[in-house]
Amino acid sequence: VQTCALPIYVILLIGAYVAENHPILCTRIEANPTRTLVVADPRVTKTAMMADVYLPLKPRSDLALINAMLRILIDEGLYNKEYVEQHTTGFEDLRASLEPYTLDHAAKITGLPPELIRKTALLYGNAKAAFIGWTMGVNHSTKGTETVNAINNLALLTGNIGRPGASPFSITGQCNAMGTREAGFASGLPGYRKFESDEDRKELAGLWNVPVERIPAKRGLAYPDIIEAAVAGKIRALWIIGTNPLVSFPNIDVLKQALGNLDFHVVQDGFHPTPTTTLADMVLPAAIWGEKEGTYTNSERRVSKVNAAVAPPGEARSDFDIFLAIAERLGCREELFPGWQGPGDAFDEWRRISAGRLCDYSGMTYAAIEANGGIQWPFPEHAHLNPTTARRLYADGQFPTGDGRARLLPTHWAPFPEQPSKEYPFILNTGRTVEHWHTRTKTGGISILQRMSPRAWLEMNPVDATHLGLRPHDRVDIISPRGCVSKVELRITEIVAPGQVFLPFHFVESNANQITQSAFDPISREPNYKQCAVRVEASSLNARKTS
């Protein structure tokens, strides 16, 4: 790769199938004529087919790829030394941690030719601006947090942060995924405050006029730990809101055991019946989008307003109204929500609590958000900012740490937890298809989408299909040490490499989570939905056809 021939802008997508999962973002990437697109993905997806450089790496080897790229950038002097010295800490520890990640070592782990790894590193290191986007292909792993840290290392090492076109960017699927993280829940306090911080707890206690002892000093249980606690009988009641874990939770039999242990199981959802609501002791009918008002915040930190187009049907009520009604019955409404009548009161409270924080909403109002088609945070009160001006974080190289410097954190690749074996020789990958969303609670009721994608399928490479004596459209069973998904249609395709198979996770009738494993990232507690070991057999349906 000659420096003079290098492109101006590079977009590197890692484990991000934007062509089907984020089609609007995909059209924007396609429309950019000045970019070079690099895609790292084990499957030859439609996104991979768009790429200028495609990296068909082995499953769960992305961390080794990134560390090898970091080492190349350091060894060849392509990192931004001035930026690293002025705005980061931990460079020497990072450099030392990268010693094992030679090109040959990374090539063995990833299955990529050494020259392709080096080409990718040089493209990224020499770009005027480089963007890294990732999604569940990175996050759904026992090494998800470390891989995101490595991505951030790559951006920080090259100064590709806080500049136009340059960023590490988590591509989130839900429209308010950013908003929920800012507001806090079991893992953190509102406004990116920490349970463990005495200062943060004291500040919130003062804002809420409550004793500081009422604010917990450690985080609550994460999702998988809640389920394990229910299995152990430590949690006796569970309130599930707007999710369908009977399809989406890994190793589903563990969840069924947990729900069976409960004394009281409540599900609050806009749809019924679903696999989860049918097991509930009580169902609270909730309003859905278009039947309620409020704000949501997208991945670029843009806050938008949504208004009710119609009233909720029947007895359905908005989540907000349900929460206030429960607080009323518990006798704590006025203490927790003094004077609140509508979602606007909650937004005003959020403006107050977020003031002065990284995610400062204090200068926003419902009227201003609607008038401007959305406003990006930070938008502090009395700042006299133009609502339409893009607000770029970290442009000054200052980060929300004690010394204002970003941390370069060493990371280490390790094999995924359940390796293939003689009994279970295939690596299962799971994911989405464009026609459906998550557990098909909504999209399963739309006839055109159902006609386009009515059932699950399994993708397998022709080499493996020939070895097993399988033909296109055969029905097969996918078996792991935990369970079996039966009578799934086989698609024989070179989209997947030999030794790998792919199954979409949307379909309760062929639930991929019958066979996924109970393995979780130790920090984020994200499930390792992908890379479990399975075998594939012709189902009895094929035998009946043959006979």
Side-chain angles (χ1 to χ4, degrees), residues 220-287:
L221 294 178
Y223 192 177
D225 306 311
I226 291 172
I227 303 306
E228 291 294 339
V231 169
K234 297 177 182 178
I235 288 178
R236 307 303 304 168
L238 197 58
W239 184 1
I240 296 173
I241 303 172
T243 189
N244 190 16
L246 258 295
V247 182
S248 63
F249 195 78
N251 193 4
I252 207 74
D253 286 342
V254 173
L255 177 68
K256 290 178 180 178
Q257 182 183 354
L259 297 182
N261 275 5
L262 297 173
D263 297 329
F264 190 47
H265 173 204
V266 183
V267 178
Q268 182 171 318
D269 206 305
F271 296 87
H272 176 72
T274 72
T276 304
T277 62
T278 55
L279 295 183
D281 297 302
M282 176 183 289
V283 176
L284 300 176

Side-chain angles (χ1 to χ4, degrees), residues 3-19:
T3 302
C4 61
L6 288 170
I8 295 176
Y9 298 104
V10 168
I11 297 173
L12 171 58
L13 298 180
I14 305 176
Y17 188 7
V18 297

Side-chain angles (χ1 to χ4, degrees), residues 381-457:
E381 193 171 13
H382 307 308
H384 305 294
L385 299 173
N386 183 342
T388 62
T389 300
R391 266 158 288 287
R392 198 174 305 283
L393 288 181
Y394 313 127
D396 58 0
Q398 294 297 302
F399 296 88
T401 59
D403 58 7
R405 293 170 175 262
R407 307 292 187 248
L408 295 167
L409 300 174
T411 62
H412 301 284
W413 173 86
F416 51 85
E418 188 173 77
Q419 293 289 302
S421 63
K422 184 176 181 180
E423 186 176 4
Y424 302 102
F426 292 102
I427 302 169
L428 174 70
N429 188 9
T430 64
R432 300 168 177 158
T433 183
V434 67
E435 294 86 3
H436 290 297
W437 172 251
H438 282 207
T439 66
R440 291 169 57 245
T441 300
K442 290 175 279 191
T443 57
I446 299 174
S447 58
I448 187 172
L449 298 179
Q450 274 296 94
R451 289 197 301 272
M452 294 172 69
S453 185
R455 63 187 67 87
W457 68 90

Side-chain angles (χ1 to χ4, degrees), residues 16-40:
Y17 188 7
V18 297
E20 293 209 6
N21 298 334
H22 302 89
I24 296 174
L25 177 61
C26 184
T27 59
R28 296 187 180 186
I29 293 174
E30 282 187 303
N32 185 343
T34 64
R35 56 84 178 143
T36 287
L37 178 63
V38 182
V39 175

Side-chain angles (χ1 to χ4, degrees), residues 180-196:
T180 58
R181 292 173 180 131
E182 298 155 3
F185 43 105
S187 62
L189 293 168
Y192 298 125
R193 295 175 175 92
K194 299 178 181 179
F195 285 107
E196 300 79 9

